[in-house]
Amino acid sequence: MKRTLRHLADGREIIYFDHDGEHERTAEDTRDLPPVAAASEIRLDPLTREWVAMAAHRQTRTYKPPADLCPLDPTTPGRPTEIPEPGYDVVVFENRFPSFSQNAHGDPSTVDELGLVPTAPGRARCEVVCFSSDHGGSFSQLSPERVRLVVDAWADRTLALGETPGVEQVYPFENRGEEIGVTLSHPHGQIYGYPFVTPKTERMLDVARAYREEHGRAVMGDVLAAERKSGARVLVEGEHWTAFVPPAARWPVHIQVVPHRQVPDIPALTDAERDDFARVYLDVLRRCDALYDRPLPYIAAWHQAPVRRDRDLAWLHLELFSVLRAKDKLKYLAGSESGMAVWINDATPEQIAERLRAVG
């Protein structure tokens, strides 16, 4: 892998990841861009002790541009974009409309200076990851070699963001499809460096800690062993990874892709594990697109350990889920899910797994 760091016209970093050293990434960003304005803050909900981000500047971010004006395409004569090069393999750059930014400044305080609701600047970092220069492509259409390059880019950025001031957790993810809320159709994902450990991760760490104290083992390890032994919900099994529908699946399509070895994050994966992930994950994605004979809208979320603590408790895994419950029907998060966080699934995990196996 060749890594090339450059800068965009407003000073943001852009990093090119190439399969080999053939490409010299020297193109300049010729746009006249104003400075990035990112004044986000975080507030701690006194009833749940969960952080909430406030990023009002994101109201002006790019929203569903026509295909011929996509800012994630390579630059062409007369049409400069976020990527100055005429083509690329994988590229990562700082988000121009970030939820968290190194430009967020200020001192910790409380709302209205009443001492009840802590506030702090949202000082961290958000990045965009473009998987391919092909606007009409998708992650499922990448070659195993390209997926491996994406994994290496995720690993590189996880390490870099982990060393960024203010960042406590690194979260690579992909949103795909308008039903999910995607505003740019180019195949891409994002990486959030959060200035706190997220609520879901905190909950999973608490469960992992209690389970280890009671049983002396990792809860994900026991779940993985049980799923592989049963096979009822297993979709794809590789040498180093297994993909299965979780036994308490919340979504109409819900899949976990789990390494057979406990590691805290993507950088800890071996070369063999990274290669095997590419094979297993592409199989999963192709089943997802075949399920309703249409591109499946989904969120693919990497669960990694916090940067500075509880790394021995975490078990890296990827979670993919979709709101599509039929070819033309969506699952809405209604009163029970949105109001009380009590999930009600219209299909059993076993039915979901059988449908996904049948299209393999």
Side-chain angles (χ1 to χ4, degrees):
M1 178 187 76
K2 181 181 179 182
R3 179 186 185 279
T4 306
L5 171 65
R6 302 282 292 171
H7 288 86
L8 298 175
D10 55 10
R12 287 174 295 139
E13 290 185 340
I14 181 168
I15 307 106
Y16 297 93
F17 296 89
D18 291 293
H19 287 290
D20 51 47
E22 293 182 4
H23 301 286
E24 292 297 327
R25 302 303 187 183
T26 59
E28 298 289 339
D29 184 2
T30 60
R31 298 172 296 171
D32 183 16
L33 296 177
V36 174
S40 63
E41 70 169 332
I42 56 176
R43 298 184 181 188
L44 190 66
D45 186 329
L47 301 181
T48 65
R49 303 298 296 174
E50 295 177 354
W51 287 102
V52 178
M54 312 291 169
H57 62 276
R58 284 174 51 79
Q59 282 281 17
T60 60
R61 66 188 184 273
T62 307
Y63 183 80
K64 294 184 179 180
D68 61 346
L69 295 178
C70 177
L72 305 185
D73 287 350
T75 287
T76 56
R79 192 172 80 83
T81 70
E82 288 282 64
I83 298 97
E85 291 288 333
Y88 59 85
D89 290 342
V90 176
V91 67
V92 178
F93 59 89
E94 289 184 75
N95 197 325
R96 182 162 173 79
F97 303 96
S99 299
F100 308 103
S101 170
Q102 291 293 287
N103 294 325
H105 299 292
D107 296 320
S109 183
T110 62
V111 171
D112 301 326
E113 299 183 355
L114 295 177
L116 181 63
V117 182
T119 69
R123 189 179 183 217
R125 178 158 163 146
C126 293
E127 299 181 338
V128 176
V129 186
C130 295
F131 308 132
S132 167
S133 60
D134 179 8
H135 180 87
S138 69
F139 203 113
S140 64
Q141 296 171 341
L142 300 180
S143 67
E145 294 75 22
R146 178 61 61 85
V147 175
R148 168 60 196 268
L149 186 61
V150 173
V151 174
D152 289 342
W154 282 331
D156 178 280
R157 304 316 301 154
T158 295
L159 289 173
L161 267 65
E163 296 175 353
T164 300
V167 171
E168 297 296 331
Q169 183 178 345
V170 181
Y171 171 53
F173 64 99
E174 179 191 3
N175 296 336
R176 183 203 191 192
E178 287 193 24
E179 296 91 339
I180 296 296
V182 172
T183 57
L184 295 174
S185 60
H186 193 107
H188 75 288
Q190 299 182 63
I191 305 177
Y192 273 23
Y194 287 108
F196 47 78
V197 177
T198 63
K200 187 166 186 177
T201 299
E202 289 280 20
R203 176 61 176 156
M204 289 194 296
L205 290 172
D206 288 344
V207 170
R209 185 179 298 106
Y211 192 91
R212 188 174 67 179
E213 290 174 356
E214 181 176 357
H215 301 282
R217 299 185 302 275
V219 61
M220 178 60 90
D222 280 3
V223 169
L224 176 62
E227 290 303 312
R228 296 179 71 189
K229 181 178 181 179
S230 165
R233 290 163 294 277
V234 170
L235 304 179
V236 185
E237 193 159 16
E239 182 180 357
H240 300 286
W241 297 77
T242 295
F244 58 89
V245 177
R250 291 167 167 79
W251 300 91
V253 179
H254 194 171
I255 302 163
Q256 291 177 337
V257 187
V258 182
H260 297 169
R261 183 174 67 97
Q262 183 176 10
V263 294
D265 53 22
I266 298 170
L269 295 172
T270 65
D271 286 342
E273 288 168 332
R274 297 183 190 198
D275 288 340
D276 192 51
F277 170 80
R279 291 187 289 269
V280 169
Y281 190 46
L282 285 173
D283 192 333
V284 167
L285 291 180
R286 288 162 186 163
R287 291 172 188 272
C288 288
D289 282 350
L291 181 61
Y292 301 124
D293 193 29
R294 55 157 291 185
L296 185 76
Y298 64 75
I299 294 173
W302 279 106
H303 294 275
Q304 302 197 98
V307 172
R308 272 170 273 278
R309 63 177 175 86
D310 293 323
R311 295 180 61 79
D312 59 321
L313 289 174
W315 191 304
L316 172 74
H317 61 285
L318 181 139
E319 183 177 32
L320 183 147
F321 53 92
S322 177
V323 296
L324 205 64
R325 61 184 178 89
K327 188 171 185 176
D328 58 351
K329 296 178 181 178
L330 297 178
K331 173 184 176 62
Y332 293 98
L333 300 190
S336 187
E337 289 92 352
S338 295
M340 286 290 108
V342 176
W343 292 78
I344 302 169
N345 203 334
D346 295 331
T348 68
E350 294 72 30
Q351 289 171 335
I352 298 168
E354 181 56 36
R355 295 167 188 166
L356 288 165
R357 282 195 297 262
V359 296

